Coordinates of all heavy atoms in Angstrom, one line a residue:
M1 N 11.5 20.3 -64.3 CA 12.4 19.8 -63.2 C 13.8 20.2 -63.5 O 14.2 20.2 -64.7 CB 12.2 18.3 -63.1 CG 13.0 17.7 -62.1 SD 12.8 15.9 -61.8 CE 12.0 15.3 -63.2
K2 N 14.6 20.4 -62.4 CA 16.0 20.8 -62.6 C 16.8 19.8 -61.8 O 16.3 19.0 -61.0 CB 16.2 22.2 -61.9 CG 15.4 23.3 -62.4 CD 16.1 24.0 -63.5 CE 15.4 25.3 -63.9 NZ 15.8 25.7 -65.2
V3 N 18.1 19.7 -62.2 CA 19.0 18.7 -61.6 C 20.2 19.4 -61.0 O 20.7 20.4 -61.6 CB 19.6 17.8 -62.7 CG1 20.6 16.8 -62.1 CG2 18.5 17.0 -63.4
K4 N 20.4 19.1 -59.7 CA 21.6 19.6 -59.1 C 22.8 18.6 -59.2 O 22.7 17.5 -58.8 CB 21.3 19.8 -57.5 CG 22.5 20.5 -56.9 CD 22.2 20.7 -55.4 CE 23.3 21.4 -54.7 NZ 23.1 21.5 -53.3
K5 N 23.7 19.1 -60.0 CA 24.9 18.2 -60.3 C 25.9 18.2 -59.1 O 25.7 19.0 -58.2 CB 25.6 18.8 -61.6 CG 24.7 18.6 -62.8 CD 25.3 19.3 -64.0 CE 26.4 18.6 -64.6 NZ 26.9 19.2 -65.8
R6 N 26.7 17.2 -59.2 CA 27.7 17.0 -58.0 C 28.5 18.3 -57.7 O 28.9 18.5 -56.6 CB 28.6 15.8 -58.3 CG 27.9 14.5 -58.1 CD 28.8 13.4 -58.4 NE 28.9 13.4 -59.9 CZ 29.8 12.8 -60.6 NH1 30.8 12.2 -60.0 NH2 29.7 12.8 -62.0
N7 N 28.8 19.1 -58.8 CA 29.6 20.3 -58.7 C 28.7 21.5 -58.1 O 29.2 22.6 -58.0 CB 30.3 20.6 -60.0 CG 29.4 21.1 -61.0 OD1 28.1 21.2 -60.9 ND2 29.9 21.3 -62.2
G8 N 27.4 21.2 -57.9 CA 26.5 22.3 -57.4 C 25.8 23.0 -58.5 O 24.8 23.7 -58.2
E9 N 26.2 22.8 -59.7 CA 25.5 23.5 -60.8 C 24.1 22.9 -61.0 O 23.8 21.7 -60.8 CB 26.3 23.3 -62.1 CG 25.7 23.9 -63.3 CD 26.5 23.6 -64.6 OE1 27.4 22.8 -64.5 OE2 26.1 24.1 -65.7
I10 N 23.1 23.8 -61.3 CA 21.7 23.4 -61.5 C 21.4 23.6 -63.0 O 21.6 24.7 -63.5 CB 20.8 24.2 -60.6 CG1 21.1 23.9 -59.1 CG2 19.3 23.9 -60.9 CD1 20.3 24.7 -58.2
V11 N 21.0 22.5 -63.6 CA 20.7 22.5 -65.0 C 19.3 21.9 -65.2 O 18.7 21.3 -64.4 CB 21.7 21.7 -65.8 CG1 23.1 22.3 -65.7 CG2 21.7 20.2 -65.4
N12 N 18.7 22.1 -66.4 CA 17.5 21.5 -66.7 C 17.6 20.0 -66.9 O 18.7 19.5 -67.3 CB 16.9 22.0 -68.1 CG 16.5 23.5 -68.0 OD1 16.0 23.8 -67.0 ND2 16.7 24.2 -69.1
F13 N 16.6 19.3 -66.4 CA 16.6 17.8 -66.5 C 16.2 17.5 -68.0 O 15.4 18.1 -68.6 CB 15.5 17.2 -65.6 CG 15.3 15.7 -65.8 CD1 16.2 14.9 -65.3 CD2 14.2 15.3 -66.4 CE1 16.0 13.5 -65.5 CE2 14.0 13.9 -66.6 CZ 14.9 13.0 -66.1
E14 N 17.0 16.6 -68.5 CA 16.8 16.1 -69.9 C 16.7 14.6 -69.9 O 17.7 13.9 -69.7 CB 18.0 16.6 -70.8 CG 18.1 18.1 -70.9 CD 19.3 18.4 -71.8 OE1 19.6 17.8 -72.8 OE2 20.0 19.4 -71.4
I15 N 15.5 14.1 -70.2 CA 15.3 12.7 -70.2 C 16.1 11.9 -71.2 O 16.4 10.8 -71.1 CB 13.7 12.4 -70.3 CG1 13.4 10.9 -69.9 CG2 13.2 12.7 -71.7 CD1 13.7 10.5 -68.5
E16 N 16.5 12.6 -72.2 CA 17.3 12.1 -73.3 C 18.6 11.6 -72.8 O 19.2 10.6 -73.2 CB 17.5 13.0 -74.5 CG 16.2 13.4 -75.1 CD 15.5 14.6 -74.5 OE1 16.1 15.3 -73.6 OE2 14.3 14.7 -74.7
K17 N 19.1 12.3 -71.8 CA 20.4 11.9 -71.1 C 20.3 10.6 -70.4 O 21.2 9.8 -70.4 CB 20.9 13.1 -70.3 CG 21.4 14.2 -71.0 CD 22.0 15.3 -70.1 CE 22.6 16.4 -70.8 NZ 23.2 17.4 -70.0
V18 N 19.1 10.3 -69.8 CA 18.9 9.1 -69.1 C 18.8 8.0 -70.1 O 19.5 6.9 -70.0 CB 17.5 9.2 -68.4 CG1 17.1 7.7 -67.8 CG2 17.6 10.2 -67.2
A19 N 18.1 8.2 -71.2 CA 18.1 7.2 -72.3 C 19.5 6.9 -72.9 O 19.8 5.7 -73.1 CB 17.1 7.6 -73.4
N20 N 20.2 7.9 -73.1 CA 21.6 7.7 -73.7 C 22.5 7.1 -72.7 O 23.2 6.2 -73.2 CB 22.2 9.1 -74.1 CG 21.6 9.8 -75.3 OD1 20.9 9.1 -76.1 ND2 21.6 11.0 -75.4
S21 N 22.4 7.3 -71.4 CA 23.2 6.7 -70.5 C 22.9 5.2 -70.4 O 23.8 4.3 -70.2 CB 23.2 7.3 -69.1 OG 21.9 7.2 -68.5
I22 N 21.6 4.8 -70.4 CA 21.2 3.4 -70.4 C 21.7 2.7 -71.7 O 22.2 1.6 -71.6 CB 19.7 3.3 -70.2 CG1 19.2 3.8 -68.9 CG2 19.2 1.8 -70.4 CD1 17.8 3.9 -68.7
A23 N 21.5 3.3 -72.8 CA 21.9 2.8 -74.1 C 23.4 2.6 -74.1 O 23.9 1.6 -74.6 CB 21.4 3.7 -75.2
N24 N 24.1 3.5 -73.6 CA 25.6 3.4 -73.6 C 26.1 2.2 -72.7 O 26.9 1.4 -73.1 CB 26.3 4.7 -73.2 CG 26.2 5.8 -74.2 OD1 26.0 5.5 -75.3 ND2 26.3 7.0 -73.7
A25 N 25.5 2.1 -71.6 CA 25.8 1.0 -70.7 C 25.4 -0.3 -71.3 O 26.1 -1.3 -71.2 CB 25.1 1.1 -69.3
S26 N 24.2 -0.3 -72.0 CA 23.7 -1.5 -72.6 C 24.6 -2.0 -73.8 O 24.9 -3.2 -73.9 CB 22.3 -1.2 -73.2 OG 21.9 -2.3 -74.0
D27 N 25.2 -1.0 -74.5 CA 26.1 -1.3 -75.6 C 27.4 -2.0 -75.1 O 28.0 -2.7 -75.9 CB 26.4 -0.1 -76.4 CG 25.3 0.5 -77.2 OD1 24.3 -0.3 -77.4 OD2 25.4 1.6 -77.6
E28 N 27.7 -1.7 -73.9 CA 28.9 -2.3 -73.3 C 28.8 -3.8 -72.9 O 29.7 -4.5 -72.7 CB 29.4 -1.5 -72.2 CG 29.9 -0.1 -72.5 CD 31.1 -0.1 -73.3 OE1 32.1 -0.9 -73.1 OE2 31.3 0.8 -74.2
T29 N 27.5 -4.3 -72.8 CA 27.3 -5.6 -72.4 C 27.2 -6.5 -73.6 O 27.1 -6.1 -74.7 CB 25.9 -5.7 -71.6 OG1 24.9 -5.5 -72.5 CG2 25.9 -4.8 -70.4
H30 N 27.2 -7.8 -73.4 CA 27.0 -8.8 -74.4 C 25.5 -9.1 -74.6 O 25.1 -10.0 -75.4 CB 27.8 -10.1 -74.2 CG 29.2 -9.8 -74.2 ND1 29.9 -9.6 -75.2 CD2 30.1 -9.8 -73.1 CE1 31.3 -9.4 -74.9 NE2 31.4 -9.5 -73.6
E31 N 24.6 -8.3 -73.9 CA 23.2 -8.6 -74.0 C 22.5 -7.2 -74.1 O 21.8 -6.8 -73.2 CB 22.7 -9.3 -72.7 CG 23.3 -10.6 -72.5 CD 23.0 -11.2 -71.1 OE1 22.1 -10.7 -70.4 OE2 23.7 -12.1 -70.7
P32 N 22.8 -6.5 -75.2 CA 22.3 -5.1 -75.3 C 20.7 -5.1 -75.3 O 20.1 -5.9 -75.8 CB 22.8 -4.6 -76.6 CG 23.2 -5.8 -77.4 CD 23.5 -6.9 -76.4
L33 N 20.2 -4.0 -74.8 CA 18.8 -3.8 -74.7 C 18.3 -3.2 -76.1 O 19.1 -2.5 -76.8 CB 18.4 -2.8 -73.7 CG 18.8 -3.1 -72.2 CD1 18.4 -1.9 -71.3 CD2 18.2 -4.4 -71.8
N34 N 17.1 -3.6 -76.4 CA 16.6 -2.9 -77.7 C 15.9 -1.6 -77.4 O 15.8 -1.3 -76.2 CB 15.6 -3.9 -78.4 CG 14.4 -4.2 -77.5 OD1 13.8 -3.2 -77.0 ND2 14.0 -5.5 -77.4
M35 N 15.7 -0.8 -78.5 CA 15.2 0.6 -78.2 C 13.8 0.5 -77.4 O 13.5 1.4 -76.7 CB 15.0 1.2 -79.5 CG 16.4 1.6 -80.1 SD 17.5 2.5 -79.0 CE 16.5 4.0 -78.7
G36 N 13.0 -0.5 -77.6 CA 11.8 -0.7 -76.9 C 12.0 -0.7 -75.4 O 11.3 -0.1 -74.6
D37 N 12.9 -1.6 -75.0 CA 13.3 -1.7 -73.6 C 13.8 -0.4 -73.0 O 13.3 0.0 -71.9 CB 14.3 -2.8 -73.3 CG 13.9 -4.2 -73.7 OD1 12.6 -4.5 -73.5 OD2 14.7 -5.0 -74.0
I38 N 14.6 0.2 -73.7 CA 15.1 1.5 -73.3 C 14.1 2.6 -73.2 O 14.0 3.3 -72.2 CB 16.3 2.0 -74.2 CG1 17.5 1.1 -74.1 CG2 16.7 3.4 -73.9 CD1 18.6 1.3 -75.2
D39 N 13.1 2.6 -74.1 CA 12.0 3.6 -74.1 C 11.1 3.3 -72.9 O 10.8 4.3 -72.2 CB 11.2 3.5 -75.4 CG 10.2 4.5 -75.5 OD1 10.5 5.7 -75.3 OD2 9.0 4.1 -75.8
I40 N 10.8 2.1 -72.6 CA 10.0 1.7 -71.4 C 10.7 2.1 -70.2 O 10.1 2.7 -69.3 CB 9.6 0.3 -71.4 CG1 8.6 0.0 -72.6 CG2 9.0 -0.2 -70.1 CD1 8.4 -1.5 -72.9
L41 N 11.9 1.7 -70.0 CA 12.7 2.1 -68.8 C 12.7 3.6 -68.6 O 12.5 4.1 -67.5 CB 14.2 1.6 -68.9 CG 14.4 0.2 -68.6 CD1 15.8 -0.3 -69.1 CD2 14.2 -0.1 -67.1
T42 N 13.0 4.3 -69.7 CA 13.1 5.8 -69.6 C 11.8 6.4 -69.1 O 11.8 7.3 -68.3 CB 13.6 6.4 -71.0 OG1 14.8 5.7 -71.3 CG2 13.7 7.9 -70.9
K43 N 10.7 5.9 -69.8 CA 9.4 6.4 -69.3 C 9.1 6.2 -67.9 O 8.6 7.0 -67.1 CB 8.3 5.9 -70.2 CG 8.3 6.5 -71.6 CD 7.2 5.9 -72.5 CE 7.3 6.4 -73.9 NZ 6.4 5.9 -74.8
D44 N 9.4 4.9 -67.4 CA 9.2 4.6 -66.0 C 10.0 5.4 -65.1 O 9.6 5.9 -64.1 CB 9.5 3.1 -65.8 CG 8.4 2.2 -66.4 OD1 7.4 2.6 -66.8 OD2 8.7 1.0 -66.5
I45 N 11.3 5.7 -65.4 CA 12.2 6.4 -64.6 C 11.7 7.9 -64.5 O 11.7 8.6 -63.5 CB 13.6 6.3 -65.2 CG1 14.2 4.9 -64.9 CG2 14.6 7.4 -64.5 CD1 15.4 4.5 -65.7
N46 N 11.3 8.4 -65.7 CA 10.9 9.8 -65.8 C 9.6 9.9 -64.9 O 9.5 10.9 -64.1 CB 10.5 10.2 -67.2 CG 10.3 11.7 -67.4 OD1 10.9 12.5 -66.8 ND2 9.3 11.9 -68.2
H47 N 8.7 9.0 -65.0 CA 7.5 9.0 -64.1 C 7.8 9.0 -62.6 O 7.3 9.7 -61.9 CB 6.6 7.9 -64.5 CG 5.3 7.8 -63.7 ND1 4.3 8.6 -63.9 CD2 5.0 6.9 -62.7 CE1 3.4 8.3 -63.0 NE2 3.8 7.3 -62.2
K48 N 8.8 8.1 -62.3 CA 9.2 8.0 -60.8 C 9.8 9.4 -60.4 O 9.5 9.8 -59.3 CB 10.1 6.9 -60.7 CG 10.6 6.7 -59.3 CD 9.6 6.4 -58.3 CE 10.1 6.1 -56.9 NZ 9.0 5.9 -56.0
L49 N 10.6 9.9 -61.2 CA 11.3 11.2 -60.8 C 10.3 12.3 -60.7 O 10.3 13.1 -59.7 CB 12.4 11.5 -61.8 CG 13.6 10.6 -61.9 CD1 14.5 11.0 -63.0 CD2 14.4 10.6 -60.5
K50 N 9.3 12.3 -61.5 CA 8.3 13.4 -61.4 C 7.4 13.1 -60.2 O 6.9 14.1 -59.5 CB 7.4 13.4 -62.6 CG 8.1 14.0 -63.8 CD 7.2 14.1 -65.0 CE 7.9 14.8 -66.2 NZ 7.1 14.9 -67.4
E51 N 7.2 11.8 -59.9 CA 6.4 11.4 -58.7 C 7.0 11.9 -57.3 O 6.3 12.2 -56.4 CB 6.2 9.9 -58.7 CG 5.2 9.3 -57.9 CD 5.1 7.8 -58.0 OE1 6.0 7.2 -57.5 OE2 4.1 7.4 -58.7
I52 N 8.3 12.0 -57.4 CA 9.1 12.4 -56.2 C 8.7 13.9 -55.9 O 8.6 14.2 -54.7 CB 10.6 12.3 -56.5 CG1 11.0 10.8 -56.5 CG2 11.4 13.0 -55.3 CD1 12.4 10.6 -56.9
G53 N 8.3 14.6 -56.9 CA 7.7 15.9 -56.7 C 8.7 17.0 -56.3 O 8.3 18.1 -55.9
K54 N 10.0 16.8 -56.5 CA 10.9 18.0 -56.2 C 11.2 18.8 -57.4 O 11.2 18.3 -58.5 CB 12.3 17.3 -55.8 CG 12.3 16.6 -54.5 CD 13.7 16.0 -54.2 CE 13.7 15.3 -52.9 NZ 15.0 14.7 -52.7
E55 N 11.3 20.2 -57.2 CA 11.6 21.0 -58.3 C 13.0 20.9 -58.8 O 13.3 21.0 -59.9 CB 11.3 22.5 -57.9 CG 11.5 23.5 -59.0 CD 11.1 24.8 -58.6 OE1 10.2 25.0 -57.8 OE2 11.8 25.8 -59.2
I56 N 13.9 20.6 -57.7 CA 15.3 20.3 -58.0 C 15.7 19.0 -57.4 O 15.5 18.8 -56.2 CB 16.2 21.5 -57.4 CG1 15.9 22.8 -58.0 CG2 17.7 21.2 -57.6 CD1 16.6 24.0 -57.4
I57 N 16.2 18.1 -58.2 CA 16.5 16.8 -57.8 C 18.0 16.6 -57.8 O 18.7 17.1 -58.8 CB 15.8 15.7 -58.6 CG1 15.9 14.3 -57.9 CG2 16.1 15.8 -60.0 CD1 14.8 13.4 -58.4
D58 N 18.7 15.9 -56.9 CA 20.1 15.7 -57.0 C 20.4 14.7 -58.0 O 19.7 13.7 -58.2 CB 20.6 15.2 -55.6 CG 20.6 16.3 -54.6 OD1 20.8 17.4 -54.9 OD2 20.5 15.9 -53.4
S59 N 21.5 14.8 -58.7 CA 21.9 13.8 -59.7 C 22.1 12.4 -59.1 O 21.9 11.4 -59.8 CB 23.2 14.3 -60.4 OG 24.3 14.4 -59.5
E60 N 22.5 12.4 -57.8 CA 22.7 11.1 -57.2 C 21.3 10.3 -57.1 O 21.3 9.1 -57.2 CB 23.3 11.2 -55.7 CG 24.7 11.7 -55.7 CD 24.8 13.2 -55.7 OE1 23.7 13.9 -55.8 OE2 25.9 13.7 -55.5
E61 N 20.2 11.1 -56.9 CA 18.9 10.4 -56.8 C 18.5 9.9 -58.2 O 17.9 8.8 -58.3 CB 17.9 11.5 -56.3 CG 16.6 10.8 -55.8 CD 15.8 11.8 -54.9 OE1 16.2 12.9 -54.7 OE2 14.7 11.2 -54.5
I62 N 18.9 10.6 -59.2 CA 18.6 10.1 -60.6 C 19.4 8.9 -60.8 O 18.9 7.9 -61.3 CB 18.9 11.2 -61.6 CG1 18.0 12.4 -61.4 CG2 18.8 10.7 -63.0 CD1 18.4 13.6 -62.3
F63 N 20.7 8.9 -60.5 CA 21.5 7.7 -60.6 C 20.9 6.5 -59.9 O 20.8 5.4 -60.5 CB 22.9 8.0 -60.0 CG 23.9 6.9 -60.0 CD1 24.5 6.5 -61.2 CD2 24.1 6.1 -58.9 CE1 25.5 5.5 -61.2 CE2 25.0 5.1 -58.9 CZ 25.7 4.8 -60.1
D64 N 20.5 6.7 -58.7 CA 20.0 5.6 -57.8 C 18.7 5.1 -58.5 O 18.4 3.9 -58.5 CB 19.7 6.1 -56.4 CG 20.9 6.4 -55.6 OD1 22.0 5.8 -56.0 OD2 20.9 7.0 -54.6
T65 N 17.8 6.0 -59.0 CA 16.6 5.5 -59.6 C 16.8 4.7 -60.9 O 16.2 3.8 -61.1 CB 15.7 6.8 -59.9 OG1 15.4 7.6 -58.7 CG2 14.4 6.4 -60.5
I66 N 17.8 5.1 -61.7 CA 18.1 4.4 -62.9 C 18.6 3.0 -62.5 O 18.1 2.0 -63.1 CB 19.2 5.2 -63.7 CG1 18.6 6.4 -64.3 CG2 19.7 4.2 -64.8 CD1 19.6 7.4 -64.9
L67 N 19.5 2.9 -61.5 CA 19.9 1.6 -61.0 C 18.8 0.7 -60.5 O 18.7 -0.5 -60.8 CB 21.0 1.7 -60.0 CG 22.4 1.9 -60.4 CD1 23.4 2.1 -59.2 CD2 22.9 0.8 -61.3
L68 N 17.9 1.4 -59.7 CA 16.8 0.6 -59.2 C 16.0 0.0 -60.3 O 15.6 -1.1 -60.3 CB 15.9 1.6 -58.3 CG 14.6 1.0 -57.8 CD1 14.9 0.0 -56.7 CD2 13.7 2.1 -57.3
Y69 N 15.6 0.8 -61.3 CA 14.8 0.3 -62.4 C 15.5 -0.7 -63.3 O 14.9 -1.7 -63.7 CB 14.2 1.5 -63.2 CG 13.0 2.0 -62.6 CD1 13.0 2.9 -61.6 CD2 11.7 1.5 -63.1 CE1 11.8 3.4 -61.0 CE2 10.5 2.0 -62.4 CZ 10.7 2.9 -61.4 OH 9.5 3.4 -60.8
L70 N 16.8 -0.6 -63.5 CA 17.5 -1.6 -64.2 C 17.5 -2.9 -63.5 O 17.3 -4.0 -64.0 CB 19.0 -1.2 -64.5 CG 19.1 -0.1 -65.5 CD1 20.6 0.4 -65.5 CD2 18.8 -0.6 -66.9
M71 N 17.7 -2.9 -62.2 CA 17.6 -4.1 -61.4 C 16.3 -4.7 -61.3 O 16.0 -5.9 -61.3 CB 18.2 -3.8 -59.9 CG 19.7 -3.4 -59.9 SD 20.8 -4.6 -60.5 CE 20.8 -5.7 -59.1
K72 N 15.3 -3.8 -61.1 CA 13.9 -4.2 -61.0 C 13.4 -5.0 -62.2 O 12.7 -6.0 -62.1 CB 13.0 -3.0 -60.8 CG 11.5 -3.2 -60.7 CD 10.8 -2.0 -60.5 CE 9.3 -2.2 -60.6 NZ 8.5 -0.9 -60.5
E73 N 13.9 -4.6 -63.4 CA 13.6 -5.2 -64.6 C 14.6 -6.3 -65.0 O 14.5 -6.9 -66.0 CB 13.5 -4.2 -65.8 CG 12.4 -3.2 -65.6 CD 11.0 -3.8 -65.5 OE1 10.8 -4.7 -66.2 OE2 10.2 -3.3 -64.7
R74 N 15.5 -6.7 -64.0 CA 16.4 -7.7 -64.1 C 17.4 -7.5 -65.3 O 17.9 -8.5 -65.9 CB 15.7 -9.1 -64.3 CG 14.8 -9.4 -63.1 CD 14.1 -10.7 -63.2 NE 13.3 -10.9 -62.0 CZ 12.6 -11.9 -61.8 NH1 12.5 -12.9 -62.6 NH2 11.9 -12.0 -60.7
F75 N 17.8 -6.3 -65.6 CA 18.8 -6.0 -66.5 C 20.1 -5.9 -65.7 O 20.8 -4.8 -65.6 CB 18.5 -4.8 -67.3 CG 17.3 -4.9 -68.2 CD1 16.3 -4.0 -68.1 CD2 17.2 -5.9 -69.1 CE1 15.2 -4.1 -69.0 CE2 16.1 -6.1 -70.0 CZ 15.1 -5.2 -69.9
Y76 N 20.5 -6.9 -65.0 CA 21.6 -6.9 -64.1 C 22.9 -6.5 -64.8 O 23.7 -5.8 -64.2 CB 21.7 -8.3 -63.3 CG 20.5 -8.7 -62.7 CD1 19.9 -9.8 -62.9 CD2 19.9 -7.9 -61.6 CE1 18.8 -10.3 -62.3 CE2 18.8 -8.3 -61.0 CZ 18.2 -9.4 -61.3 OH 17.1 -9.8 -60.6
H77 N 23.2 -7.0 -65.9 CA 24.5 -6.7 -66.6 C 24.6 -5.3 -67.0 O 25.6 -4.6 -66.9 CB 24.7 -7.6 -67.8 CG 24.9 -9.0 -67.4 ND1 23.9 -10.0 -67.5 CD2 26.0 -9.7 -67.0 CE1 24.4 -11.2 -67.1 NE2 25.6 -11.1 -66.8
V78 N 23.4 -4.7 -67.4 CA 23.4 -3.4 -67.8 C 23.5 -2.5 -66.6 O 24.3 -1.5 -66.6 CB 22.1 -3.0 -68.5 CG1 22.0 -1.5 -68.9 CG2 22.0 -3.9 -69.8
A79 N 22.9 -2.8 -65.5 CA 23.0 -2.1 -64.2 C 24.5 -2.0 -63.7 O 25.0 -1.0 -63.3 CB 22.1 -2.7 -63.1
E80 N 25.1 -3.3 -63.8 CA 26.5 -3.3 -63.4 C 27.4 -2.4 -64.3 O 28.3 -1.7 -63.8 CB 27.0 -4.8 -63.5 CG 28.4 -4.9 -63.1 CD 28.8 -6.4 -63.2 OE1 28.1 -7.3 -63.4 OE2 30.1 -6.6 -63.1
Q81 N 27.1 -2.5 -65.6 CA 28.0 -1.6 -66.5 C 27.6 -0.1 -66.3 O 28.6 0.7 -66.3 CB 27.7 -2.0 -67.9 CG 28.6 -1.5 -68.9 CD 30.0 -2.0 -68.7 OE1 30.3 -3.1 -68.4 NE2 31.0 -1.1 -68.9
Y82 N 26.4 0.2 -66.0 CA 26.0 1.6 -65.8 C 26.7 2.1 -64.5 O 27.3 3.2 -64.5 CB 24.5 1.7 -65.6 CG 24.0 3.1 -65.2 CD1 23.9 4.0 -66.2 CD2 23.6 3.4 -63.9 CE1 23.5 5.3 -65.9 CE2 23.2 4.7 -63.6 CZ 23.1 5.6 -64.5 OH 22.7 6.9 -64.2
R83 N 26.8 1.3 -63.5 CA 27.4 1.7 -62.2 C 28.9 1.9 -62.5 O 29.6 2.8 -62.0 CB 27.2 0.7 -61.2 CG 27.7 1.1 -59.8 CD 27.3 0.1 -58.7 NE 27.1 -1.2 -59.1 CZ 28.1 -2.2 -59.1 NH1 29.3 -1.8 -58.9 NH2 27.9 -3.4 -59.5
K84 N 29.6 1.0 -63.3 CA 31.0 1.0 -63.6 C 31.3 2.3 -64.4 O 32.4 2.9 -64.2 CB 31.5 -0.2 -64.4 CG 31.6 -1.4 -63.5 CD 32.1 -2.6 -64.4 CE 32.1 -3.9 -63.7 NZ 32.6 -5.0 -64.5
K85 N 30.4 2.7 -65.3 CA 30.7 3.8 -66.2 C 30.5 5.1 -65.6 O 30.9 6.1 -66.1 CB 29.8 3.7 -67.5 CG 30.2 2.6 -68.4 CD 31.5 2.9 -69.1 CE 31.8 2.0 -70.2 NZ 33.1 2.3 -70.8
S86 N 29.8 5.1 -64.5 CA 29.6 6.4 -63.8 C 30.8 7.0 -63.2 O 31.8 6.2 -62.9 CB 28.5 6.3 -62.8 OG 28.9 5.5 -61.6
D87 N 30.8 8.2 -62.8 CA 32.0 8.8 -62.1 C 31.9 8.8 -60.7 O 32.4 9.6 -60.0 CB 32.1 10.3 -62.6 CG 32.5 10.3 -64.1 OD1 33.2 9.4 -64.6 OD2 32.1 11.3 -64.8
W88 N 31.0 8.0 -60.1 CA 30.7 8.0 -58.7 C 31.9 7.5 -57.9 O 32.4 6.7 -57.8 CB 29.5 7.2 -58.3 CG 28.3 7.8 -59.1 CD1 27.8 7.2 -60.2 CD2 27.5 9.0 -58.7 NE1 26.7 8.1 -60.7 CE2 26.6 9.1 -59.8 CE3 27.6 9.9 -57.8 CZ2 25.6 10.1 -59.8 CZ3 26.7 10.9 -57.8 CH2 25.7 11.0 -58.8

């Protein structure tokens, strides 16, 4: 799978970047996630993105999916921090 970034550049999708962005947002909260939580979230997000079935996916769709899963799992503070830390 490839990612179309906001500037139009197309790059390889790297699930590690999803895990790192969640971990970074989590570190900013007073209720950080443990590595098990981050691993489960990352696997679920990766599965969902593959399920979409696009060869090239927009970075905005990845962003929205990450927020959706953080909210779905009730990691509200992490979701808020993730949204704040993004360049959107």
Side-chain angles (χ1 to χ4, degrees):
M1 180 174 18
K2 304 267 186 194
V3 177
K4 183 177 181 184
K5 298 171 74 172
R6 286 176 284 157
N7 67 4
E9 182 182 4
I10 296 176
V11 298
N12 288 327
F13 175 72
E14 297 178 40
I15 194 62
E16 298 82 19
K17 289 184 177 182
V18 170
N20 288 338
S21 66
I22 293 170
N24 289 338
S26 172
D27 288 346
E28 295 290 324
T29 70
H30 296 291
E31 303 167 15
L33 303 178
N34 63 46
M35 289 309 296
D37 290 334
I38 293 169
D39 186 49
I40 290 168
L41 279 166
T42 302
K43 286 179 182 176
D44 289 347
I45 291 164
N46 191 41
H47 178 74
K48 179 62 177 176
L49 293 173
K50 286 182 178 182
E51 193 176 77
I52 292 170
K54 293 181 181 177
E55 186 176 325
I56 300 174
I57 192 164
D58 289 331
S59 59
E60 292 91 354
E61 196 164 1
I62 295 170
F63 176 82
D64 290 344
T65 303
I66 293 169
L67 274 180
L68 174 75
Y69 274 84
L70 287 170
M71 297 297 285
K72 179 179 172 184
E73 296 300 324
R74 299 182 181 180
F75 296 127
Y76 303 122
H77 292 99
V78 178
E80 180 180 349
Q81 194 62 38
Y82 177 76
R83 190 173 27 85
K84 284 181 184 178
K85 288 289 188 184
S86 71
D87 294 329
W88 301 98

